[in-house]
Amino acid sequence: MRRLLARHLPGYEVRVIDRLGEGQDNAAYEVNGELVVRQSKAGDPDERGGTVEREAALLAVVGEVSTIPVPRPVLVVPEAGMLAYPKLPGLPLNRHPVPEPARLAAPLGAFLSALHLLPVPRVEDLVPRDAYPLRDLREEAEGDYEEIAGRLPAEERRLVEEFLAAEAPADPETLTFCHNDLGSEHMLVDVATSAVTGVIDWTDAAVADPAYDLALVYRDLGPAVLARTLEHYRGGLDDAGRERMLFYARCALLEDVAYGLRTGIRPYAEAGLANLGRTFS
């Protein structure tokens, strides 16, 4: 990484590199406390290169409409799967809870409105279309549950099993542009003021069901914050959308817990286990 930064940012002195964290798709590092460098974990070089080039182009579009700060790349190295941008202010919400989470709702509602109302033709060449059948998603959730059932108390197992026994909702009829991975680990906050200061990691952005973005707000921040978020959301959410939102939230929670336990990345598992009863009630 030092060699790559020296080659592509001539004159920039690299003093300190700290590891920020790792998800399913990327590892992230902080350089000199001021630059964030993300590196794709994709094994295929062409896939790595295409991913970061598209994400850089996408962030330029998102930056025009977003009501919350988003990364603005200063360096893209396709062959290394590397993307770098000035560090946004704030700390990841999943590790730094805010004292007044309700204050997150209005900015999140405005932000999601801006994304979901963005005309799809502006991004359709930059992101995939994610129209995964909900019936298949439920089957995956069943597999995730089998991995984690032994870690759950009896009452929580009952809630999950009732959910998995029910029919999956009907697939969405309308797709919009979505962040598509708006978990609390990708929200930056000022803890002192309970303010959202940034939204990061746009690798999974897609033309998808807008209920999924709302589902992760519900999963990670709970029903009260979601209700306030919807008061400021202009995208519209009908009864069918609410049903899908709950479905996605529950499937995503099971996926996170299974992934965290499987890989040893504890924050995913710990957050999911802490929120499981609330999410499935």
Side-chain angles (χ1 to χ4, degrees):
M1 184 175 294
R2 287 179 182 273
R3 289 195 300 270
L4 285 167
L5 291 171
R7 183 186 312 152
H8 295 280
L9 293 178
Y12 184 75
E13 180 186 358
V14 176
R15 299 183 300 276
V16 179
I17 299 178
D18 293 315
R19 188 180 184 87
L20 287 176
E22 182 176 347
Q24 298 187 50
D25 301 310
N26 299 282
Y29 304 85
E30 183 176 297
V31 179
N32 296 344
E34 62 188 13
L35 193 69
V36 173
V37 179
R38 284 238 329 278
Q39 204 151 24
S40 171
K41 294 166 61 176
D44 181 79
D46 291 337
E47 181 183 350
R48 286 199 305 268
T51 295
V52 297
E53 287 182 317
R54 284 191 300 273
E55 185 171 356
L58 176 66
L59 286 170
V61 175
V62 173
E64 296 176 9
V65 301
S66 178
T67 57
I68 294 174
V70 299
R72 295 184 178 272
V74 295
L75 175 64
V76 180
V77 187
E79 65 271 20
M82 178 187 286
L83 182 149
Y85 57 88
K87 181 183 177 182
L88 293 173
L91 299 168
L93 177 60
N94 65 323
R95 299 189 183 191
H96 302 274
V98 297
E100 298 181 76
R103 298 190 65 178
L104 305 173
L108 286 174
F111 168 75
L112 288 173
S113 298
L115 293 194
H116 297 168
L117 295 175
L118 182 69
V120 168
R122 292 197 62 187
V123 296
E124 61 187 351
D125 292 335
L126 300 174
V127 297
R129 184 169 290 264
D130 185 358
Y132 202 63
L134 273 66
R135 182 179 298 177
D136 293 349
L137 191 60
R138 189 187 62 181
E139 290 182 6
E140 290 188 2
E142 290 173 349
D144 291 330
Y145 174 63
E146 290 177 3
E147 286 190 47
I148 69 173
R151 298 289 298 269
L152 304 182
E155 177 58 20
E156 292 189 348
R157 289 201 302 272
R158 181 186 65 80
L159 290 172
V160 176
E161 288 166 6
E162 287 179 356
F163 164 70
L164 294 173
E167 287 291 325
D171 292 337
E173 296 181 359
T174 303
L175 305 181
T176 69
F177 174 59
C178 299
H179 181 281
N180 215 32
D181 195 15
L182 194 62
S184 59
E185 71 273 21
H186 298 146
M187 301 179 197
L188 301 179
V189 293
D190 181 328
V191 176
T193 62
S194 298
V196 186
T197 60
V199 173
I200 59 173
D201 198 344
W202 292 77
T203 305
D204 291 325
V207 174
D209 186 352
Y212 187 74
D213 278 346
L214 294 164
L216 298 192
V217 175
Y218 175 79
R219 180 196 68 183
D220 290 354
L221 300 179
V225 173
L226 174 74
R228 287 176 176 262
T229 299
L230 290 174
E231 292 174 4
H232 302 271
Y233 177 64
R234 295 182 289 114
L237 187 70
D238 59 14
D239 289 343
R242 288 178 181 272
E243 183 182 8
R244 294 195 310 276
M245 179 195 69
L246 290 172
F247 176 84
Y248 290 134
R250 292 164 180 171
C251 291
L253 186 144
L254 294 175
E255 180 185 13
D256 265 12
V257 175
Y259 173 75
L261 293 176
R262 188 186 315 124
T263 62
I265 302 178
R266 297 190 61 82
Y268 285 94
E270 290 168 355
L273 290 170
N275 293 335
L276 192 146
R278 177 186 74 189
T279 304
F280 280 83
S281 295

mmCIF file of all heavy atoms in Angstrom, residues 137-146 157-168 247 250-251 254 280:
data_model
loop_
_atom_site.group_PDB
_atom_site.id
_atom_site.type_symbol
_atom_site.label_atom_id
_atom_site.label_comp_id
_atom_site.label_asym_id
_atom_site.label_seq_id
_atom_site.Cartn_x
_atom_site.Cartn_y
_atom_site.Cartn_z
ATOM 1 N N LEU A 137 -34.382 -15.835 -0.929
ATOM 2 C CA LEU A 137 -33.782 -15.179 0.228
ATOM 3 C C LEU A 137 -34.191 -15.882 1.522
ATOM 4 O O LEU A 137 -33.383 -16.049 2.438
ATOM 5 C CB LEU A 137 -34.213 -13.713 0.264
ATOM 6 C CG LEU A 137 -33.489 -12.786 1.237
ATOM 7 C CD1 LEU A 137 -32.000 -12.728 0.933
ATOM 8 C CD2 LEU A 137 -34.086 -11.386 1.175
ATOM 9 N N ARG A 138 -35.438 -16.315 1.585
ATOM 10 C CA ARG A 138 -35.879 -17.036 2.778
ATOM 11 C C ARG A 138 -35.137 -18.369 2.915
ATOM 12 O O ARG A 138 -34.780 -18.779 4.029
ATOM 13 C CB ARG A 138 -37.390 -17.289 2.729
ATOM 14 C CG ARG A 138 -37.925 -17.838 4.052
ATOM 15 C CD ARG A 138 -39.366 -18.247 3.961
ATOM 16 N NE ARG A 138 -39.555 -19.325 2.994
ATOM 17 C CZ ARG A 138 -40.729 -19.851 2.702
ATOM 18 N NH1 ARG A 138 -41.818 -19.377 3.263
ATOM 19 N NH2 ARG A 138 -40.841 -20.826 1.827
ATOM 20 N N GLU A 139 -34.891 -19.043 1.805
ATOM 21 C CA GLU A 139 -34.141 -20.304 1.884
ATOM 22 C C GLU A 139 -32.734 -20.062 2.420
ATOM 23 O O GLU A 139 -32.219 -20.863 3.212
ATOM 24 C CB GLU A 139 -34.090 -20.961 0.504
ATOM 25 C CG GLU A 139 -35.431 -21.504 0.029
ATOM 26 C CD GLU A 139 -35.334 -22.187 -1.326
ATOM 27 O OE1 GLU A 139 -34.203 -22.330 -1.838
ATOM 28 O OE2 GLU A 139 -36.385 -22.575 -1.867
ATOM 29 N N GLU A 140 -32.109 -18.970 1.993
ATOM 30 C CA GLU A 140 -30.788 -18.645 2.527
ATOM 31 C C GLU A 140 -30.867 -18.346 4.024
ATOM 32 O O GLU A 140 -29.974 -18.715 4.796
ATOM 33 C CB GLU A 140 -30.198 -17.458 1.780
ATOM 34 C CG GLU A 140 -29.813 -17.770 0.345
ATOM 35 C CD GLU A 140 -29.062 -16.623 -0.306
ATOM 36 O OE1 GLU A 140 -28.800 -15.602 0.368
ATOM 37 O OE2 GLU A 140 -28.734 -16.760 -1.503
ATOM 38 N N ALA A 141 -31.929 -17.657 4.428
ATOM 39 C CA ALA A 141 -32.104 -17.350 5.850
ATOM 40 C C ALA A 141 -32.252 -18.636 6.666
ATOM 41 O O ALA A 141 -31.762 -18.723 7.801
ATOM 42 C CB ALA A 141 -33.318 -16.456 6.044
ATOM 43 N N GLU A 142 -32.903 -19.646 6.097
ATOM 44 C CA GLU A 142 -33.026 -20.928 6.785
ATOM 45 C C GLU A 142 -31.649 -21.549 7.024
ATOM 46 O O GLU A 142 -31.369 -22.095 8.105
ATOM 47 C CB GLU A 142 -33.902 -21.871 5.979
ATOM 48 C CG GLU A 142 -35.372 -21.475 5.959
ATOM 49 C CD GLU A 142 -36.198 -22.317 5.013
ATOM 50 O OE1 GLU A 142 -35.593 -23.082 4.217
ATOM 51 O OE2 GLU A 142 -37.437 -22.212 5.047
ATOM 52 N N GLY A 143 -30.776 -21.456 6.005
ATOM 53 C CA GLY A 143 -29.423 -21.975 6.175
ATOM 54 C C GLY A 143 -28.643 -21.208 7.225
ATOM 55 O O GLY A 143 -27.898 -21.803 8.031
ATOM 56 N N ASP A 144 -28.803 -19.870 7.236
ATOM 57 C CA ASP A 144 -28.127 -19.061 8.259
ATOM 58 C C ASP A 144 -28.626 -19.435 9.650
ATOM 59 O O ASP A 144 -27.834 -19.516 10.603
ATOM 60 C CB ASP A 144 -28.370 -17.571 8.001
ATOM 61 C CG ASP A 144 -27.664 -17.066 6.755
ATOM 62 O OD1 ASP A 144 -26.600 -17.610 6.408
ATOM 63 O OD2 ASP A 144 -28.181 -16.125 6.125
ATOM 64 N N TYR A 145 -29.926 -19.656 9.775
ATOM 65 C CA TYR A 145 -30.488 -20.005 11.078
ATOM 66 C C TYR A 145 -29.937 -21.341 11.579
ATOM 67 O O TYR A 145 -29.646 -21.492 12.775
ATOM 68 C CB TYR A 145 -32.008 -20.052 11.003
ATOM 69 C CG TYR A 145 -32.646 -20.539 12.284
ATOM 70 C CD1 TYR A 145 -32.495 -19.816 13.457
ATOM 71 C CD2 TYR A 145 -33.382 -21.728 12.318
ATOM 72 C CE1 TYR A 145 -33.069 -20.259 14.649
ATOM 73 C CE2 TYR A 145 -33.954 -22.177 13.486
ATOM 74 C CZ TYR A 145 -33.791 -21.440 14.661
ATOM 75 O OH TYR A 145 -34.351 -21.889 15.832
ATOM 76 N N GLU A 146 -29.785 -22.301 10.683
ATOM 77 C CA GLU A 146 -29.234 -23.592 11.099
ATOM 78 C C GLU A 146 -27.850 -23.423 11.719
ATOM 79 O O GLU A 146 -27.481 -24.159 12.641
ATOM 80 C CB GLU A 146 -29.164 -24.538 9.902
ATOM 81 C CG GLU A 146 -30.526 -25.008 9.409
ATOM 82 C CD GLU A 146 -30.426 -25.877 8.183
ATOM 83 O OE1 GLU A 146 -29.278 -26.171 7.746
ATOM 84 O OE2 GLU A 146 -31.481 -26.268 7.644
ATOM 85 N N ARG A 157 -35.522 -18.676 19.405
ATOM 86 C CA ARG A 157 -35.633 -19.721 18.380
ATOM 87 C C ARG A 157 -37.078 -19.842 17.907
ATOM 88 O O ARG A 157 -37.343 -20.001 16.716
ATOM 89 C CB ARG A 157 -35.139 -21.068 18.925
ATOM 90 C CG ARG A 157 -33.640 -21.144 19.136
ATOM 91 C CD ARG A 157 -33.163 -22.588 19.179
ATOM 92 N NE ARG A 157 -33.833 -23.353 20.223
ATOM 93 C CZ ARG A 157 -33.419 -23.433 21.484
ATOM 94 N NH1 ARG A 157 -32.328 -22.780 21.857
ATOM 95 N NH2 ARG A 157 -34.078 -24.158 22.370
ATOM 96 N N ARG A 158 -38.024 -19.749 18.834
ATOM 97 C CA ARG A 158 -39.430 -19.843 18.461
ATOM 98 C C ARG A 158 -39.821 -18.710 17.510
ATOM 99 O O ARG A 158 -40.488 -18.945 16.496
ATOM 100 C CB ARG A 158 -40.310 -19.792 19.715
ATOM 101 C CG ARG A 158 -41.805 -19.921 19.409
ATOM 102 C CD ARG A 158 -42.640 -19.716 20.656
ATOM 103 N NE ARG A 158 -42.517 -18.355 21.163
ATOM 104 C CZ ARG A 158 -43.178 -17.311 20.658
ATOM 105 N NH1 ARG A 158 -43.982 -17.467 19.606
ATOM 106 N NH2 ARG A 158 -43.043 -16.123 21.193
ATOM 107 N N LEU A 159 -39.383 -17.480 17.808
ATOM 108 C CA LEU A 159 -39.713 -16.348 16.950
ATOM 109 C C LEU A 159 -39.155 -16.538 15.542
ATOM 110 O O LEU A 159 -39.845 -16.293 14.549
ATOM 111 C CB LEU A 159 -39.166 -15.057 17.563
ATOM 112 C CG LEU A 159 -39.830 -14.544 18.832
ATOM 113 C CD1 LEU A 159 -39.039 -13.359 19.402
ATOM 114 C CD2 LEU A 159 -41.271 -14.130 18.556
ATOM 115 N N VAL A 160 -37.907 -16.979 15.464
ATOM 116 C CA VAL A 160 -37.280 -17.152 14.153
ATOM 117 C C VAL A 160 -37.964 -18.276 13.385
ATOM 118 O O VAL A 160 -38.226 -18.161 12.181
ATOM 119 C CB VAL A 160 -35.773 -17.424 14.297
ATOM 120 C CG1 VAL A 160 -35.153 -17.703 12.928
ATOM 121 C CG2 VAL A 160 -35.062 -16.244 14.957
ATOM 122 N N GLU A 161 -38.265 -19.361 14.059
ATOM 123 C CA GLU A 161 -38.879 -20.497 13.375
ATOM 124 C C GLU A 161 -40.282 -20.165 12.885
ATOM 125 O O GLU A 161 -40.703 -20.629 11.813
ATOM 126 C CB GLU A 161 -38.879 -21.709 14.306
ATOM 127 C CG GLU A 161 -37.467 -22.281 14.484
ATOM 128 C CD GLU A 161 -37.346 -23.260 15.644
ATOM 129 O OE1 GLU A 161 -38.386 -23.599 16.250
ATOM 130 O OE2 GLU A 161 -36.201 -23.673 15.952
ATOM 131 N N GLU A 162 -41.023 -19.339 13.628
ATOM 132 C CA GLU A 162 -42.333 -18.896 13.145
ATOM 133 C C GLU A 162 -42.174 -18.046 11.879
ATOM 134 O O GLU A 162 -42.961 -18.170 10.931
ATOM 135 C CB GLU A 162 -43.046 -18.083 14.230
ATOM 136 C CG GLU A 162 -43.578 -18.924 15.386
ATOM 137 C CD GLU A 162 -44.259 -18.077 16.439
ATOM 138 O OE1 GLU A 162 -44.249 -16.820 16.310
ATOM 139 O OE2 GLU A 162 -44.795 -18.652 17.402
ATOM 140 N N PHE A 163 -41.171 -17.197 11.876
ATOM 141 C CA PHE A 163 -40.913 -16.373 10.693
ATOM 142 C C PHE A 163 -40.564 -17.238 9.486
ATOM 143 O O PHE A 163 -41.102 -17.040 8.381
ATOM 144 C CB PHE A 163 -39.775 -15.405 10.996
ATOM 145 C CG PHE A 163 -39.157 -14.774 9.781
ATOM 146 C CD1 PHE A 163 -39.848 -13.837 9.035
ATOM 147 C CD2 PHE A 163 -37.865 -15.119 9.380
ATOM 148 C CE1 PHE A 163 -39.282 -13.257 7.906
ATOM 149 C CE2 PHE A 163 -37.293 -14.546 8.258
ATOM 150 C CZ PHE A 163 -38.004 -13.615 7.513
ATOM 151 N N LEU A 164 -39.679 -18.201 9.673
ATOM 152 C CA LEU A 164 -39.241 -19.033 8.551
ATOM 153 C C LEU A 164 -40.338 -19.965 8.053
ATOM 154 O O LEU A 164 -40.308 -20.412 6.902
ATOM 155 C CB LEU A 164 -38.009 -19.840 8.967
ATOM 156 C CG LEU A 164 -36.747 -19.018 9.249
ATOM 157 C CD1 LEU A 164 -35.650 -19.903 9.815
ATOM 158 C CD2 LEU A 164 -36.263 -18.319 7.978
ATOM 159 N N ALA A 165 -41.321 -20.261 8.905
ATOM 160 C CA ALA A 165 -42.417 -21.145 8.496
ATOM 161 C C ALA A 165 -43.451 -20.426 7.639
ATOM 162 O O ALA A 165 -44.243 -21.066 6.939
ATOM 163 C CB ALA A 165 -43.088 -21.735 9.728
ATOM 164 N N ALA A 166 -43.455 -19.092 7.675
ATOM 165 C CA ALA A 166 -44.449 -18.315 6.926
ATOM 166 C C ALA A 166 -44.031 -18.171 5.469
ATOM 167 O O ALA A 166 -42.853 -18.296 5.116
ATOM 168 C CB ALA A 166 -44.620 -16.946 7.567
ATOM 169 N N GLU A 167 -44.997 -17.859 4.611
ATOM 170 C CA GLU A 167 -44.707 -17.606 3.202
ATOM 171 C C GLU A 167 -43.909 -16.312 3.051
ATOM 172 O O GLU A 167 -44.129 -15.342 3.780
ATOM 173 C CB GLU A 167 -46.001 -17.483 2.405
ATOM 174 C CG GLU A 167 -46.741 -18.800 2.193
ATOM 175 C CD GLU A 167 -45.981 -19.717 1.242
ATOM 176 O OE1 GLU A 167 -45.344 -19.201 0.292
ATOM 177 O OE2 GLU A 167 -46.015 -20.941 1.453
ATOM 178 N N ALA A 168 -42.989 -16.297 2.103
ATOM 179 C CA ALA A 168 -42.267 -15.063 1.793
ATOM 180 C C ALA A 168 -43.229 -14.078 1.133
ATOM 181 O O ALA A 168 -44.149 -14.485 0.421
ATOM 182 C CB ALA A 168 -41.098 -15.355 0.870
ATOM 183 N N PHE A 247 -39.459 -8.412 6.421
ATOM 184 C CA PHE A 247 -38.872 -9.658 5.924
ATOM 185 C C PHE A 247 -37.375 -9.490 5.682
ATOM 186 O O PHE A 247 -36.553 -10.305 6.130
ATOM 187 C CB PHE A 247 -39.595 -10.060 4.635
ATOM 188 C CG PHE A 247 -39.028 -11.278 3.963
ATOM 189 C CD1 PHE A 247 -39.406 -12.542 4.355
ATOM 190 C CD2 PHE A 247 -38.106 -11.151 2.917
ATOM 191 C CE1 PHE A 247 -38.888 -13.669 3.728
ATOM 192 C CE2 PHE A 247 -37.590 -12.265 2.287
ATOM 193 C CZ PHE A 247 -37.974 -13.531 2.696
ATOM 194 N N ARG A 250 -35.243 -9.159 8.933
ATOM 195 C CA ARG A 250 -35.039 -10.411 9.660
ATOM 196 C C ARG A 250 -34.051 -11.319 8.939
ATOM 197 O O ARG A 250 -33.183 -11.930 9.568
ATOM 198 C CB ARG A 250 -36.399 -11.085 9.870
ATOM 199 C CG ARG A 250 -37.264 -10.284 10.831
ATOM 200 C CD ARG A 250 -38.731 -10.639 10.816
ATOM 201 N NE ARG A 250 -39.453 -9.806 11.785
ATOM 202 C CZ ARG A 250 -40.776 -9.746 11.886
ATOM 203 N NH1 ARG A 250 -41.531 -10.460 11.058
ATOM 204 N NH2 ARG A 250 -41.333 -8.970 12.780
ATOM 205 N N CYS A 251 -34.164 -11.389 7.617
ATOM 206 C CA CYS A 251 -33.190 -12.184 6.861
ATOM 207 C C CYS A 251 -31.784 -11.612 7.003
ATOM 208 O O CYS A 251 -30.807 -12.355 7.177
ATOM 209 C CB CYS A 251 -33.583 -12.232 5.387
ATOM 210 S SG CYS A 251 -35.066 -13.194 5.016
ATOM 211 N N LEU A 254 -30.213 -12.473 10.427
ATOM 212 C CA LEU A 254 -29.716 -13.851 10.494
ATOM 213 C C LEU A 254 -28.410 -13.992 9.709
ATOM 214 O O LEU A 254 -27.471 -14.678 10.154
ATOM 215 C CB LEU A 254 -30.762 -14.813 9.943
ATOM 216 C CG LEU A 254 -32.066 -14.922 10.753
ATOM 217 C CD1 LEU A 254 -33.063 -15.810 10.022
ATOM 218 C CD2 LEU A 254 -31.804 -15.458 12.156
ATOM 219 N N PHE A 280 -37.537 -9.578 15.531
ATOM 220 C CA PHE A 280 -38.470 -10.648 15.187
ATOM 221 C C PHE A 280 -39.787 -10.566 15.960
ATOM 222 O O PHE A 280 -40.693 -11.352 15.703
ATOM 223 C CB PHE A 280 -37.819 -12.012 15.418
ATOM 224 C CG PHE A 280 -36.895 -12.440 14.319
ATOM 225 C CD1 PHE A 280 -35.585 -11.982 14.292
ATOM 226 C CD2 PHE A 280 -37.319 -13.256 13.289
ATOM 227 C CE1 PHE A 280 -34.719 -12.356 13.265
ATOM 228 C CE2 PHE A 280 -36.475 -13.632 12.266
ATOM 229 C CZ PHE A 280 -35.183 -13.172 12.248
#
